[in-house]
């Protein structure tokens, strides 16, 4: 009896290992099938070219964003989605106007810069703002100078990007603070306008924009960014005490909210169709460049998940829903509306995956979910190693699917591509189609499709 009791666990372990091996073989065959299709025949790179070159940048509320909605609908239909539909949502419409910044040197010479307004900034009066410029490197310096030194001046937040940090996403979190909150922090001390050194990693002439938020306790002041090179130039002039005055002009403003849409395409699940897996990126972009990496790449990769499954005849057990979210960049209205409707319709969302970190070589998935969910995903790691994907440890999840996680507790994940070049390009005029590599973009689509397939087959419970 004792002998038999000792043998049973080995028998069970043996059966379990066999079952796992069989599953592994079956799944690796499916993934290899998608690999052949996506890496050789995928049209996601061509989809991206059409989006970038025929529509271009597409800030929420713009005519280009409306065209992008039509593009997304057609691309999902062409990918073979069982159902394609739009989810209406009202979005803000911020319009960039004329933007100027110049200084007059102590010798009376005028020197013009090429500023880029921060997203959502107000403009100036028609005469612009003409005042002293004062440099601060961080919040501590601003507070030390205090209202007596700041009042009435143009504050230049000269916070440098810390190149020591190995993962640029971590440094973005530090730098972006001055973009997001800087203008109101400066206004608190009486500043009349705010300039920031770009919150990006590039050593170039491309200024970096992105959302800022006004604190309603303080006066709204106009805010602009300078590129790395121009921030160095202004720093040099200020430290040489060679700036007599700064002149800043902007006609940027908000117009009335506009009706727009999340674009959705689905593959119906076979036997568990009520269980939904969302995979998506955001369709809107900033109003410069072409929104190629941010986030045209994520949109075409998500569409590719649908296409690869349909073309390969893969029938997911659960419903796979590709969502091209609207207004991630300056309002998150699309993501919020998607989650609101999910609650209202009592939908069962078992997982949501976003791809919004650039179309570079995939390295892993970050996730926000329970330990058990993470353990299940990590048990599939071996399937991803041949694709160069090994990192399943980080916390994360995308902005658009954040409300789903918050309101429904949905486990969320984000594709993590190699991060080293993203912040050289992101939110700049240099985020164009030519910066995206076909092979890297397709590898991201393949890894995404593989993960969606696994969750479609086995769920996360
Ligand atoms: Zn983005």
């Amino acid at each position: 009896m004792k002998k038999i009791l000792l043998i049973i666990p080995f028998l069970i372990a043996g059966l379990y290992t066999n079952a796992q091996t069989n599953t592994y073989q079956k799944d690796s065959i499916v993934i290899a099938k998608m690999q052949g299709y996506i890496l050789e025949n995928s049209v996601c790179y061509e989809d991206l070219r059409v989006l970038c070159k025929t529509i271009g940048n597409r800030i929420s509320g713009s005519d280009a964003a409306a065209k992008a909605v039509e593009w997304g609908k057609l691309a999902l239909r062409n990918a073979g989605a069982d159902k394609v539909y739009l989810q209406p949502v009202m979005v803000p419409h911020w319009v960039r106007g004329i933007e100027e910044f110049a200084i007059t040197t102590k010798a009376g010479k005028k020197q013009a810069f090429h500023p880029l307004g921060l997203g959502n900034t107000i403009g100036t009066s028609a005469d612009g703002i003409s005042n002293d410029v004062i440099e601060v490197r961080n919040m501590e310096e601003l507070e030390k100078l205090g209202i007596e030194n700041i009042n009435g001046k143009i504050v230049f937040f000269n916070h440098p990007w810390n190149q020591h940090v190995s993962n640029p996403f971590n440094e973005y979190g530090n730098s972006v603070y001055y973009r997001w909150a800087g203008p109101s922090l400066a206004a608190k001390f009486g500043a009349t306008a705010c300039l920031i050194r770009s919150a990006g990693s590039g050593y170039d002439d491309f200024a970096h924009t992105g959302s800022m938020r006004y604190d309603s306790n303080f006066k709204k002041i106009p805010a602009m960014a300078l590129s790395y090179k121009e921030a160095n130039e202004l720093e040099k002039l200020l430290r040489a005490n060679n700036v007599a005055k700064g002149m800043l002009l902007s006609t940027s403003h908000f117009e009335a909210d506009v009706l727009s849409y999340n674009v959705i395409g689905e593959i119906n699940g076979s036997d568990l169709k009520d269980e939904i897996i969302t995979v998506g990126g955001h369709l809107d972009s900033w109003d410069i460049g072409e929104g190629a990496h941010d986030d045209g790449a994520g949109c075409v990769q998500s569409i590719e998940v649908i296409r690869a499954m349909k073309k390969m005849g893969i029938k997911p057990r659960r419903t796979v829903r590709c969502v091209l979210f609207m207004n991630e960049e300056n309002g998150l209205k699309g993501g919020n509306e998607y989650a609101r409707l999910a609650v209202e319709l009592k939908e069962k969302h078992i997982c949501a995956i976003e791809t919004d970190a650039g179309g570079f070589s995939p390295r892993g998935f970050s996730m926000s979910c329970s330990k058990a969910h993470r353990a299940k995903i990590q048990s599939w790691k071996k399937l991803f190693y041949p694709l160069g994907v090994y990192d399943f440890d980080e916390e994360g999840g995308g902005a658009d699917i954040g409300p789903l996680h918050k309101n429904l507790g949905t486990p969320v994940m984000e594709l993590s591509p190699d991060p080293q070049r993203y912040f050289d390009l992101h939110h700049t005029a240099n985020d164009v189609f030519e910066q995206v590599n076909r092979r890297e973009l397709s590898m991201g689509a393949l890894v995404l499709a593989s993960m969606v397939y696994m969750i479609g087959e086995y769920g996360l419970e």
Side-chain angles (χ1 to χ4, degrees):
M1 188 64 189
K2 209 176 173 187
K3 249 186 189 171
I4 293 172
L5 281 177
L6 278 172
I7 290 166
I8 285 173
F10 289 106
L11 286 173
I12 292 171
L15 285 173
Y16 181 67
T17 310
N18 273 342
Q20 268 203 331
T21 307
N22 290 341
T23 309
Y24 177 80
Q25 277 170 355
K26 182 192 119 211
D27 297 328
S28 50
I29 289 167
V30 175
I31 290 172
K33 235 170 134 180
M34 289 200 287
Q35 180 174 335
Y37 173 73
I38 293 177
L39 298 186
E40 279 184 41
N41 305 313
S42 155
V43 293
C44 66
Y45 186 65
E46 174 60 11
D47 276 352
L48 185 64
R49 188 195 65 76
V50 173
L51 178 64
C52 291
K53 296 301 178 192
T54 67
I55 298 173
N57 63 59
R58 44 200 180 274
I59 193 167
S60 295
S62 64
D63 290 346
K67 282 182 195 153
V69 166
E70 292 307 311
W71 167 89
K73 228 163 67 174
L74 186 65
L76 278 162
R77 279 207 190 110
N78 289 342
D82 296 330
K83 189 162 83 172
V84 177
Y85 58 101
L86 301 180
Q87 200 169 69
V89 58
M90 294 301 290
V91 296
H93 185 202
W94 179 77
V95 179
R96 186 183 302 281
I98 297 164
E99 294 175 326
E100 292 175 4
F101 173 68
I103 59 108
T104 309
T105 63
K106 291 268 166 80
K109 202 179 133 218
K110 201 176 161 190
Q111 187 170 336
F113 290 73
H114 304 85
L116 184 66
L118 300 186
N120 301 344
T121 183
I122 61 160
T124 62
S125 67
D127 299 334
I129 289 168
S130 186
N131 274 322
D132 294 341
V133 183
I134 188 161
E135 176 198 2
V136 296
R137 275 171 297 187
N138 50 44
M139 258 318 282
E140 293 71 44
E141 285 191 10
L142 182 79
E143 277 170 4
K144 219 170 174 184
L145 285 165
I147 196 158
E148 58 276 24
N149 292 303
I150 302 287
N151 198 30
K153 293 182 181 162
I154 298 169
V155 164
F156 171 42
F157 274 113
N158 191 17
H159 178 80
W161 181 275
N162 184 354
Q163 299 284 356
H164 295 193
V165 179
S166 61
N167 187 335
F169 277 87
N170 296 336
E171 175 51 21
Y172 185 58
N174 298 328
S175 275
V176 86
Y177 173 71
Y178 292 96
R179 187 194 81 204
W180 176 252
S184 284
L185 294 171
K188 183 179 168 187
F189 292 92
T192 50
C194 178
L195 285 167
I196 66 161
R197 176 185 279 274
S198 281
S201 54
Y203 280 42
D204 54 28
D205 288 315
F206 293 99
H208 176 278
T209 189
S211 266
M212 57 147 297
R213 192 182 66 95
Y214 289 117
D215 181 333
S216 57
N217 293 313
F218 308 108
K219 199 176 159 215
K220 288 183 180 180
I221 60 171
M224 296 175 174
L226 294 176
S227 71
Y228 171 83
K229 284 189 180 171
E230 288 202 338
N232 285 353
E233 176 66 12
L234 183 61
E235 174 188 294
K236 195 178 81 189
L237 288 163
L238 286 166
R239 291 185 188 178
N241 195 24
N242 193 17
V243 178
K245 273 274 179 276
M247 288 86 61
L248 188 139
L249 178 80
S250 164
T251 59
S252 299
H253 61 280
F254 273 101
E255 296 189 355
D257 286 0
V258 171
L259 175 63
S260 189
Y261 304 91
N262 292 329
V263 184
I264 301 178
E266 287 182 7
I267 303 178
N268 301 324
S270 54
D271 59 325
L272 295 167
K273 67 172 188 307
D274 291 342
E275 297 190 10
I276 299 162
I277 302 159
T278 296
V279 57
H282 64 86
L283 195 48
D284 63 307
S285 75
W286 280 106
D287 58 332
I288 49 169
E290 294 168 358
H293 280 288
D294 186 15
D295 184 26
C299 289
V300 300
Q301 287 174 329
S302 302
I303 294 168
E304 192 60 39
V305 172
I306 301 280
R307 179 167 30 234
M309 285 187 161
K310 292 302 280 189
K311 299 279 183 205
M312 296 293 94
I314 296 163
K315 295 190 173 72
R317 296 183 64 201
R318 295 160 174 89
T319 292
V320 174
R321 184 186 283 175
C322 167
V323 185
L324 313 180
F325 292 94
M326 185 50 75
N327 188 226
E328 189 270 348
E329 294 292 7
N330 65 335
L332 209 66
K333 300 287 184 193
N336 283 327
E337 179 61 8
Y338 185 69
R340 190 193 70 75
L341 274 169
V343 172
E344 189 180 295
L345 300 171
K346 297 191 170 61
E347 288 177 340
K348 189 173 179 192
H349 287 262
I350 65 149
C351 183
I353 314 178
E354 185 145 356
T355 159
D356 183 20
F360 303 101
S361 288
R363 298 284 187 246
F365 286 92
S366 62
M367 56 196 87
S368 295
C369 56
S370 70
K371 272 188 180 162
H373 291 148
R374 188 185 289 269
K376 183 152 185 181
I377 292 161
Q378 287 178 337
S379 75
W380 303 332
K381 276 200 290 201
K382 264 168 69 182
L383 288 162
F384 290 86
Y385 288 160
L387 308 177
V389 168
Y390 48 81
D391 184 1
F392 297 85
D393 298 327
E394 298 297 317
E395 269 303 304
D400 294 294
I401 54 178
L404 208 58
H405 180 63
K406 198 170 149 213
N407 301 341
L408 279 91
T410 308
V412 289
M413 304 170 70
E414 183 163 35
L415 183 67
S416 305
D418 185 289
Q420 298 306 333
R421 287 190 292 140
Y422 190 53
F423 292 103
D424 287 359
L425 303 168
H426 159 269
H427 296 191
T428 74
N430 202 19
D431 182 10
V432 294
F433 175 68
E434 290 78 1
Q435 297 290 354
V436 180
N437 175 278
R438 182 189 184 278
R439 177 85 184 170
E440 294 182 5
L441 179 77
S442 306
M443 281 300 293
L446 169 62
V447 168
L448 196 63
S450 304
M451 182 57 78
V452 171
Y453 159 73
M454 290 301 288
I455 300 171
E457 203 64 9
Y458 304 107
L460 287 183
E461 295 306 324

